[in-house]
Amino acid sequence: NVIIGYIDSGLDFRHPDFQDSLGNTRVKWLWDMTKPVAANTPQPYGYGQEWSAADIDNGLANSHTAEDEYGHGTYVAGIGSGNGRAVGHFQGVAPESDIMVVSYDFTAADTVSRIVHAIDYLFAKANLLGKPCVINASLGDYYGSHDGKDLQSQFISNLITAQSGRVVVAAAGNIGLYPFHVGRTSVVGDTTFTWFKYNAGYGGAYIQVFADTADFNQISYAIGADKITPDFSHRGSTSYSGVASTLNNVVTRNIMNGANRLAVVQTL
């Protein structure tokens, strides 16, 4: 009588570990975010396609292969909910749990918003079934405020606390590449700077900045380029500017060293 919802790369629902003793699917709902808009696109989200347990048993969800990310979602769901029917043992943590799946679109640009949609979707479906729901998200990126104060994080928190029987379990540091996060409490009249090393493999550096609006309105910033070997020297920087002028606008500036352009800085 507990549902586990998986936000991951999908699920091989044909695997016997995700079927009951009669061969029927244990997956109550499956939303594949990667699919084009169709008659079964879930609302109000407006993208992807969803299937019920009946749809899955009737072969309507067969376009979902769960091959993305090397079957990572199937692997995770097996640990959480596999019942061991395939070989008679190797059960997961909750082998009798019901299953719901959101097959996440890892190519999407609005990744943080889609996590919110996925959690909202799974809790809503659990309500329809009248069961408590644990959501597992074994995925991640560096987007968001990292302090729980951005709107998406607050929305997720509100969903969890809206009623009993709701839990979200998220991976910590799952992306595993360059885990840099810098935070600072602003003080009137103070200045600070942070160095980061240019990574030629990425062809640039990508930075998200979050703060309370009242703080942002009091802060000016500049982005510069320094040479640190064999000796330090400052090569050039943008002029100082506020954040408000760049909101909802793409602003392009150059970092110059005399007549030489060292970098292009785009803010939005």
Side-chain angles (χ1 to χ4, degrees), residues 10-12 46 65 68 85 98-99 121 166 169 226 234 267:
L11 179 74
D12 179 8
T65 64
D68 292 347
R85 287 189 65 247
D98 290 331
I99 301 169
Y121 175 87
R166 291 181 170 183
V169 181
D226 300 328
H234 177 64
T267 55

Side-chain angles (χ1 to χ4, degrees), residues 138-195:
S138 293
L139 49 84
D141 57 37
Y142 295 128
Y143 300 135
S145 66
H146 296 257
D147 61 5
K149 295 180 180 179
D150 59 275
L151 293 179
Q152 292 91 343
S153 295
Q154 292 185 54
F155 190 89
I156 292 171
S157 294
N158 290 338
L159 287 174
I160 296 170
T161 59
Q163 64 187 65
S164 61
R166 291 181 170 183
V167 176
V168 173
V169 181
N174 195 69
I175 193 169
L177 291 175
Y178 304 102
F180 297 128
H181 173 65
V182 177
R184 181 173 177 83
T185 301
S186 59
V187 179
V188 175
D190 195 11
T191 59
T192 185
F193 71 93
T194 299
W195 269 340

